[in-house]
Amino acid sequence: GSSYAVPKGKRANEMFFIIPVLLAWVAGQECPTDVCDQCCVNRSSYNCSYPGLEHLRPGKYQGLTANYLSYATETSSPSFIPRAREFEECTGGKISFSEASNIWEDPIRDLGHEEKDGLGIYHAYFMSYSHFPEASSLDMAESLSGRVELYNTHLKWENIFPKVQEMGRYRRNGTKDLQFLMYDGDFFVPLIRLDLLERDHLPLPNTWEEVMDLAERYSNTDLNDDGEPDFGICHFPREGAGHFDWWWAELIYGIWATYSQVQDTTQGFLFDPRTLEPNINGPAFAEAIKHMRTMWQLGADGCISDYFSTGRCAIGFSPPGCWKGVFKNGIARKHENGTVLWQPKMQNGSYAEPYRFKPFGTTKVEVDGILQECTAFLCPFAERIPERGHHGDNDRAAVLPVSPLAGQLINRAPFFWSGGLGIMIRKTAPEQIKDMMWDFMVYTNSAVTSAKDVASYVSWLDAWRTTQLPEDGQLFREAGWSEAAYREHRNIMTWALGENSNGAFNIRLPGAKAYTHLVLATEMRKFFAGTISEAEAVRRVGAGWRRETTSRGLLNQLAIYRSGLGQAEMQDVELCQLHRSEMDSEDPTVCLRFEPITNDVYLVALIVVVSLLVVAAFMSGVAFVVSTANAKRRLLKEKEDALENTVTKGLATIRQLGYPMALIGAKDFMNLNSEELQRCHEGLRDIGLLRVLDTTEEISYFHNMENVIVFFSYHWPSWNRLGPDDVQRHAMVHSLHLFAEKNGVDLEHVWVWLDIISIPQKHRGIQLLAINSLYVYAYSVDALIIIAPETVHQQTGQELGIDSYKNRVWTRVEQVAHLSAHGIDSLYYYTPTGLEVVDKKWLMDVIHVFDGQTSCCARRHEDFDACDRESLVLPLVGLYYRVAAAERRGVDRNEGTSTLYEMLENDRDRIFPQTFEYVQLIDGKEVRQKKILFGDLLQRVDKHLEQFDVETLSELIHHQQSVSTPVASVRLAAMSPCSFSNNGVQSLTMSGIFRQELDSMEEIADEGRQYSIDTDTMLSCNSVTELMEVKM
């Protein structure tokens, strides 16, 4: 070609520049000096001789700069720096590197998302394959499919491993489109010390159970002859790995996939691909978190530390990039002067090269909610466990004993975690810049350049092409790898990244950080520490994931999830069947097309025929007998329906948050004076001191933010003054300091639930909603503190203390509810010297709830519309259902349910009396009547427990999810427009606090009338004559 080029942008009619150039070109001369600076680019100053650049026109991108957002370039992709200089030497185009502080969030922040436009500073991004689908879903990623076809002569797309190709594709509008060019085949892969197995005559582990047994065996033993205890297993990521510790919980995914994904990559395992319901309620997830807990307890870092390279780990489980340094430099413990003090040796005296083999798997997989042995049908990608090693006849593991599981089918699922890296081009970047960035990507990704880069650099980029792993491995050998290490590496990489691999993809949804880091990792830490049970951990993870899905739009997340797996879009008819409310919220006309059309003519004819038959029947001589029998059956059915309805309402009290949970910060509570406290819920709400959590999901989210909730239980010392007196207040304040100190938490993160603060006092109907939320409140707190210092009742002069506290119906209910949800360890009673945990003898004193006293009964229900005992029927029926289901059928059993069930069953009829004596003072005369309390309700519960299977019982008991967002969990309670704070600033309108609960107020009112409760009664917080003790 010519030595000259007319720069783009010069006008074609400027012939006085062009003619001298053409004449010079014909003469074979250089660009004339008088026109060179104005219109010519001298190509001789460019160097396109580097392999992979020969096809590019010298100076093609002269004067252009592509802003490229990279991350930790010198560690993650160090080869890109010299390659960018070479590219600039050839094309004149400059790749301007900027370093992201967070490889996962910064690209999306610049690109923008649904809620906020991006900055648009960068033209291309180095990012994780887990996160580009968010940009693709918003049509922000440049399509690369057409470019691959045009430039494949140089790119050689066919040499990229099949699984790596899939990682960069996104399904949109029925077609898979390449929108992300991968530079990394990253999955979790194990290493093991063969010298230890040979020494101890142990076989190579294949299953997770075998791995954990070995990890436990070698944990806290000296593995490198330095006299110090070492680690059974070293893995990555792990906490302490900078931004990567956000993703340590992905190790759970890596284990979980082996138990759950059996078809192929498109199956997925994290969510149901039709409903997006988290797949966490089965044994697969349970096995995964059990094994992860063992790794957490026995393990150490397996990448950014020198633990493995200095011989301190028996097993390693990390991405391949973590092991490059190990294979280049070997395992050794050295003196500070570099002298080798120790190296692992085989029995024959040779150096014990760490052994790389296939990721661990399982012989049992989850099918229909249970673990079943792998068969060729259930596990089509399963393989037979080898007798010894994974690499054929010359395998170094041949010195080990035969595996006891040899010949069994094992399901493996190499997991591609968030470390899988690549480059995405912003769709809205200038066309020339996109072309330039693509040419740079072809250069750095092509077979001719990348093979050397992958082998020569200790980087995060692991082989993604078959051409990077030739059989001879010369480049790896030149970089310091042994022949055995390279052969084992090549075998595992080609197997995991190949067409027939059951490789599992990471969570690839907007909000990946929230799903994995904020929800899963947070709850797993608590589970590993033993502060919550496995069942509670599963419940909280499910609640958090559903909350995140709902907040981002279920239909949107569902579409992205399926696209990330390469699954086709769901048809409208199926979406309408499964997600009608969400579809209607987007377009109420779509689902109407699929509703069945009724034939009114046939319906009328049917009614006429049935009517004639009924008339004929009544004309018979047995009309009286039939009608009498029908009446009896109807009465019996009405009774049965009434029982069933009451049990259903009781169940609702343990699975639905009837009224939002209102809390006050511990420090704000301590600073309240008596007058402010007497303003109660409504007053404190109106000055913005309350934090309101509207749903169970929001409560879980609130806990995820490291907050703890304390529930105060105490005996009201007055009939005409609400809440605690000064003595009790002082005890409460002191107990908060003691609690914070005992549990190592900052008071900034401690929140208080107190009846007069947390329950509305003015509206009886709303109070009933709160009373019926008793179990959910108890379930949601972290501790119950009993406040019972010695004081005196204002009206009766009765001395109050521990004995009087134990004798109250409401305080007994509070303790029983907390015990059922949490067990005994977080049930404290306050003493001036500390917080003490109650014992079983204490519980035996309070278990007979209805033997206790209430203020309404003591005052013979004067000025009371109903007895407090009646208002407790529904929550206690729900509580009994939950405890009995746990102990009889194993639904979420815990220490608390076991302790409580034993006490309840020993004296059930007394604890849940069928009737009670209601005493009322009418016109100065005492009137007594027997009222039904529990009646036959517990027998109906027994029938449920016998009739329903475990899955149905679990659905009946677990908290019902809502469709609300977690916004309320991080806001203060809004305030009414007529209220003013102490400084005179007008407050805001309260909105949305009741949501669906207010829709059921008419039903609550009907229920209140059934129990002789006037739901229209309005109780002023400062009223003397209309006070009612609502103690929870």
Side-chain angles (χ1 to χ4, degrees), residues 212 233 235 238 255 291-299:
M212 297 309 150
I233 187 167
H235 59 85
R238 189 175 171 91
I255 306 171
H291 294 317
M292 186 64 225
R293 179 170 59 182
T294 301
M295 282 210 290
W296 183 272
Q297 295 167 345
L298 303 180

Side-chain angles (χ1 to χ4, degrees), residues 294-369:
T294 301
M295 282 210 290
W296 183 272
Q297 295 167 345
L298 303 180
D301 172 73
C303 190
I304 62 174
S305 68
D306 64 356
Y307 290 153
F308 204 96
S309 62
T310 57
R312 299 198 61 193
C313 309
I315 306 167
F317 191 65
S318 299
C322 291
W323 306 133
K324 286 184 178 180
V326 172
F327 288 112
K328 286 170 67 73
N329 305 313
I331 297 177
R333 181 168 57 83
K334 299 179 180 180
H335 190 273
E336 59 185 15
N337 63 12
T339 304
V340 174
L341 302 176
W342 169 90
Q343 271 193 309
K345 302 286 186 181
M346 301 299 289
Q347 295 296 304
N348 63 9
S350 63
Y351 167 63
E353 184 97 54
Y355 182 78
R356 187 189 301 240
F357 56 117
K358 292 179 180 179
F360 311 117
T362 175
T363 59
K364 294 182 178 181
V365 295
E366 180 177 341
V367 180
D368 297 330

Side-chain angles (χ1 to χ4, degrees), residues 600-616:
D600 292 339
V601 175
Y602 288 124
L603 180 60
V604 171
L606 180 62
I607 292 173
V608 171
V609 172
V610 171
S611 300
L612 290 173
L613 291 174
V614 170
V615 171

Side-chain angles (χ1 to χ4, degrees), residues 80 348 367 374-375 394 407 481 485 497 547 570 584 847 873 914:
F80 284 14
N348 63 9
V367 180
C374 262
T375 64
N394 297 322
W481 291 52
L497 301 174
R547 171 191 53 74
M570 292 176 66
D584 285 348
I847 191 62
V873 168
Q914 290 187 318

Side-chain angles (χ1 to χ4, degrees), residues 39-201:
C39 68
C40 291
V41 174
N42 188 346
R43 294 185 182 177
S44 64
S45 63
Y46 295 98
N47 178 13
C48 292
S49 64
Y50 297 104
L53 290 176
E54 303 95 334
H55 67 285
L56 292 176
R57 177 168 54 85
K60 180 178 181 181
Y61 299 115
Q62 174 64 37
L64 295 181
T65 298
N67 296 325
Y68 170 58
L69 186 62
S70 184
Y71 178 73
T73 310
E74 292 186 358
T75 304
S76 67
S77 48
S79 62
F80 284 14
I81 298 173
R83 296 301 185 191
R85 288 196 294 266
E86 295 164 359
F87 182 80
E88 186 176 2
E89 286 182 36
C90 171
T91 67
K94 180 179 181 61
I95 308 298
S96 177
F97 287 75
S98 295
E99 297 294 325
S101 61
N102 185 308
I103 189 174
W104 297 281
E105 291 188 324
D106 288 353
I108 299 300
R109 187 177 293 116
D110 187 70
L111 282 161
H113 46 83
E114 281 190 328
E115 298 176 1
K116 188 176 181 180
D117 292 335
L119 300 173
I121 297 172
Y122 302 100
H123 304 124
Y125 310 86
F126 187 65
M127 59 194 299
S128 165
Y129 91 102
S130 301
H131 296 77
F132 89 85
E134 180 168 1
S136 294
S137 70
L138 299 175
D139 200 24
M140 294 178 177
E142 173 77 358
S143 173
L144 305 179
S145 299
R147 294 179 183 271
V148 168
E149 292 182 13
L150 290 174
Y151 290 83
N152 198 42
T153 302
H154 311 290
L155 181 65
K156 303 294 183 184
W157 174 255
E158 63 276 9
N159 292 335
I160 295 178
F161 282 112
K163 282 294 180 288
V164 179
Q165 292 182 9
E166 285 301 313
M167 291 164 75
R169 290 192 176 111
Y170 184 82
R171 190 179 184 98
R172 189 178 181 87
N173 299 325
T175 304
K176 284 186 179 180
D177 184 30
L178 181 70
Q179 299 187 347
F180 188 72
L181 189 62
M182 290 290 299
Y183 284 77
D184 196 10
D186 219 16
F187 60 98
F188 292 136
V189 63
L191 291 186
I192 199 163
R193 290 265 304 275
L194 282 182
D195 58 307
L196 297 176
L197 299 182
E198 183 187 33
R199 182 195 70 188
D200 298 331
H201 306 289

Side-chain angles (χ1 to χ4, degrees), residues 915-959:
T915 62
F916 78 108
E917 187 176 57
Y918 182 79
V919 180
Q920 190 173 19
L921 197 63
I922 301 177
D923 297 331
K925 295 183 180 180
E926 194 175 87
V927 178
R928 296 175 178 268
Q929 65 180 113
K930 181 178 285 188
K931 280 192 172 186
I932 293 177
L933 200 58
F934 287 92
D936 297 329
L937 289 172
L938 265 58
Q939 286 75 13
R940 173 61 56 161
V941 172
D942 294 338
K943 187 175 180 179
H944 272 220
L945 297 179
E946 296 170 0
Q947 176 183 353
F948 297 139
D949 58 29
V950 171
E951 183 177 357
T952 301
L953 289 172
S954 182
E955 291 176 356
L956 288 171
I957 289 171
H958 287 158
H959 289 164

Side-chain angles (χ1 to χ4, degrees), residues 466-515:
T466 57
T467 51
Q468 294 164 350
L469 297 172
E471 188 170 350
D472 61 16
Q474 179 180 348
L475 293 174
F476 281 85
R477 297 289 303 279
E478 291 174 357
W481 291 52
S482 71
E483 181 179 352
Y486 174 72
R487 184 169 71 95
E488 291 160 5
H489 169 67
R490 179 176 184 268
N491 288 345
I492 300 306
M493 296 296 287
T494 55
W495 165 81
L497 301 174
E499 185 72 43
N500 297 319
S501 163
N502 184 32
F505 282 174
N506 190 22
I507 193 167
R508 304 171 76 194
L509 289 172
K513 173 186 174 182
Y515 287 104

Side-chain angles (χ1 to χ4, degrees), residues 635-684:
L635 290 173
L636 181 60
K637 186 177 185 303
E638 288 176 356
K639 180 182 178 181
E640 290 291 307
D641 288 347
L643 283 173
E644 186 68 26
N645 184 49
T646 304
V647 170
T648 300
K649 289 180 178 178
L651 271 174
T653 66
I654 66 169
R655 62 194 299 265
Q656 296 176 0
L657 186 63
Y659 181 79
M661 191 173 196
L663 307 169
I664 186 171
K667 289 190 174 180
D668 286 334
F669 175 77
M670 293 174 176
N671 292 331
L672 290 177
N673 57 41
S674 296
E675 181 181 350
E676 289 171 331
L677 182 61
Q678 285 298 297
R679 300 176 73 172
C680 305
H681 174 86
E682 288 80 0
L684 297 179

